[in-house]
Amino acid sequence: MKRVFSALGRCLILCGLLLALSANALAGGFALYEYSNRSVAMGTTGIAQAGDASVVATNPALMTRLEDNQTLVGMVAIQPAGEVVIGGNSTKTKDQTFLVPHAYYVHKYNDNVWLGVGEFTRFGLGMEYPDNWIGKDELTNILLETFSLNPSIAFKFNEHFSAAVGIELMKGNVLIEKTPTIATLPTKVKIEGETVTATGNLGLHYQFNDQWGVGFTYRAPAKVCTDGKIKFSGGAPLADAKAYVATTLPSSYSLGVAYQPTDDWNIEFDVVHTRWEHTKNLKIDTDSAVGDSVVDMYYKNTWRLQLGTEYWVKDWAAVRLGYIWDQSPIRHGSASFMLPSNDRHLFSGGLGFKGENWTCDLAYSYIVSKDRHGMKIGSHDNVDFKDGDTHIAGLSVGYVF
């Protein structure tokens, strides 16, 4: 038992270091699925088959399919880009690269119980525009960061069925910047804050035989309310004050089916349903003279289809491919400069290597967003979003004890 807590303690320390390292890490989307580079290469699948310790994030019930204690650490670099056109005036979003880390540890306590802990990012939003662009009154910068620490316990009831539960501790940071006109004067407004909240998750897995398996995961919604400040500079002479930003992050249901035609080849298909109806609005309460505001979201519930495959060409080397169709929650009539993009297609690939105890995974993914035309955002009509794409690349290293 002492060895269990010692190992979990070391992993928690590592997770803490990665959280510190990733103080500015997020991506140009809202819901993120880059939990490991094996998963990224295979279309972010991982609900129905166990590949490595990142099952703590994808489906903790799969911990019972890992025979040995193991750990996994890694990083994913995300580089989004896009262009917004307002009345013929084109503005490209600023070039940004975000580093998103992950770390996991899984311990087999006995033949029926497994323990695991993981650090990863489930939500992130990043969009920055030039300070003097035409839409600066609505937004110049938005950063929404979340970092999750997720301990879980899994139970193996028999050779076919396993279940797991977990507690997710989520740290969130928000930064919003814009330059509206206040009392006829352009005034830079900066709102920032941070919070810690808790939610939970559930995982189920059933292995029919050596070839077929099915998995299910549920993650509960999370209410977040940041405690911070609103600051003013230039323009109207307003005093800084306290500010609170509140919203609810959505729940999700994931169902996956895995098929292994041969010992060297496996395939997985997942369906992810995200209940964005929980994210009704973004409330900003301040003690300043500008008062409070509410940004209505009107998000729709979405579907995400994930397909991935892995083939071991050698005992020590694997080739991986994946494809994803990801539906946007943004309705055409309620788009914003925070997240103007549309549905997305993701194409991924990567390589896996393994030795006696070590594993190494390399991944690359390219995301292309469907253009969106004729939007109305605030006082701006005929807004288009085009040429939205994202490059993702990463490395994960694992060790089996």
Side-chain angles (χ1 to χ4, degrees):
M1 178 64 73
K2 290 182 178 179
R3 284 183 295 175
V4 174
F5 287 108
S6 176
L8 287 175
R10 289 195 297 270
C11 187
L12 288 171
I13 292 173
L14 175 61
C15 290
L17 292 174
L18 287 175
L19 283 173
L21 176 64
S22 63
N24 294 310
L26 59 141
F30 204 155
L32 304 181
Y33 302 88
E34 289 75 24
Y35 302 143
S36 76
N37 283 289
R38 178 183 183 272
S39 176
V40 169
M42 297 177 62
T44 67
T45 55
I47 307 299
Q49 61 177 320
D52 54 41
S54 67
V55 295
V56 173
T58 57
N59 184 356
L62 287 169
M63 290 192 291
T64 65
R65 307 296 297 180
L66 301 176
E67 296 181 358
D68 300 299
N69 303 334
Q70 53 187 275
T71 188
L72 182 79
V73 296
M75 188 81 70
V76 175
I78 305 178
Q79 188 177 64
E83 185 175 351
V84 176
V85 182
I86 303 176
N89 295 305
S90 177
T91 301
K92 290 186 177 181
T93 58
K94 286 188 176 183
D95 293 335
Q96 300 179 89
T97 299
F98 304 109
L99 300 178
V100 183
H102 51 262
Y104 307 95
Y105 176 74
V106 173
H107 178 83
K108 182 179 179 180
Y109 181 67
N110 57 37
D111 290 340
N112 301 106
V113 179
W114 277 253
L115 305 173
V117 63
E119 181 278 321
F120 50 93
T121 296
R122 286 207 301 125
F123 296 98
L125 176 60
M127 192 72 72
E128 186 173 6
Y129 300 92
D131 291 339
N132 62 345
W133 86 294
I134 193 172
K136 64 181 182 296
D137 59 319
E138 294 287 337
L139 185 72
T140 57
N141 190 17
I142 173 72
L143 299 178
L144 171 63
E145 308 170 307
T146 68
F147 311 106
S148 295
L149 187 65
N150 192 182
S152 301
I153 183 170
F155 303 93
K156 184 177 182 179
F157 293 93
N158 52 50
E159 292 301 316
H160 299 283
F161 178 67
S162 299
V165 294
I167 298 174
E168 181 180 2
L169 304 176
M170 185 183 295
K171 181 179 184 297
N173 303 315
V174 66
L175 169 66
I176 302 172
E177 294 178 302
K178 57 184 178 178
T179 308
T181 298
I182 302 177
T184 71
L185 298 173
T187 305
K188 291 185 178 181
V189 179
K190 180 178 181 179
I191 302 172
E192 55 187 346
E194 61 181 19
T195 188
V196 175
T197 189
T199 183
N201 63 296
L202 166 72
L204 304 173
H205 180 258
Y206 192 88
Q207 191 70 31
F208 295 97
N209 50 44
D210 291 340
Q211 290 185 310
W212 290 94
V214 62
F216 171 83
T217 61
Y218 168 73
R219 287 192 174 274
K223 293 184 177 180
V224 295
C225 182
T226 66
D227 185 358
K229 291 184 177 181
I230 181 170
K231 300 179 181 180
F232 305 91
S233 61
L238 297 173
D240 298 347
K242 289 184 177 181
Y244 308 91
V245 179
T247 191
T248 300
L249 300 176
S251 64
S252 65
Y253 304 82
S254 302
L255 179 66
V257 178
Y259 174 57
Q260 188 170 357
T262 69
D263 291 340
D264 300 323
W265 184 23
N266 60 74
I267 306 166
E268 180 170 342
F269 175 72
D270 300 338
V271 177
V272 181
H273 183 54
T274 304
R275 306 291 293 182
W276 287 101
E277 62 187 1
H278 297 296
T279 311
K280 299 181 183 299
N281 50 47
L282 185 71
K283 296 181 179 179
I284 304 175
D285 297 333
T286 74
D287 295 338
S288 72
V290 299
D292 304 333
S293 62
V294 177
V295 180
D296 292 320
M297 299 297 197
Y298 301 113
Y299 284 177
K300 62 184 178 183
N301 298 331
T302 60
W303 295 94
R304 178 182 171 98
L305 308 181
Q306 309 177 158
L307 177 65
T309 185
E310 174 186 64
Y311 184 75
W312 288 90
V313 295
K314 299 288 185 180
D315 291 341
W316 52 271
V319 176
R320 297 162 181 154
L321 294 172
Y323 168 76
I324 304 165
W325 176 74
D326 191 20
Q327 186 181 24
S328 171
I330 313 300
R331 300 179 191 273
H332 186 80
S334 58
S336 72
F337 294 129
M338 289 192 300
L339 192 60
S341 60
N342 209 330
D343 298 345
R344 308 185 301 169
H345 297 276
L346 295 82
F347 308 89
S348 62
L351 300 173
F353 305 95
K354 65 180 179 181
E356 183 177 353
N357 298 103
W358 290 91
T359 63
C360 179
D361 303 307
L362 302 170
Y364 172 77
S365 179
Y366 178 69
I367 305 175
V368 57
S369 297
K370 182 181 177 182
D371 293 350
R372 191 187 289 269
H373 301 283
M375 297 179 289
K376 178 177 174 56
I377 300 178
S379 61
H380 303 283
D381 296 319
N382 298 319
V383 179
D384 300 334
F385 178 80
K386 65 178 186 177
D387 299 335
D389 66 0
T390 302
H391 297 274
I392 299 175
L395 168 69
S396 298
V397 177
Y399 186 78
V400 179
F401 297 92

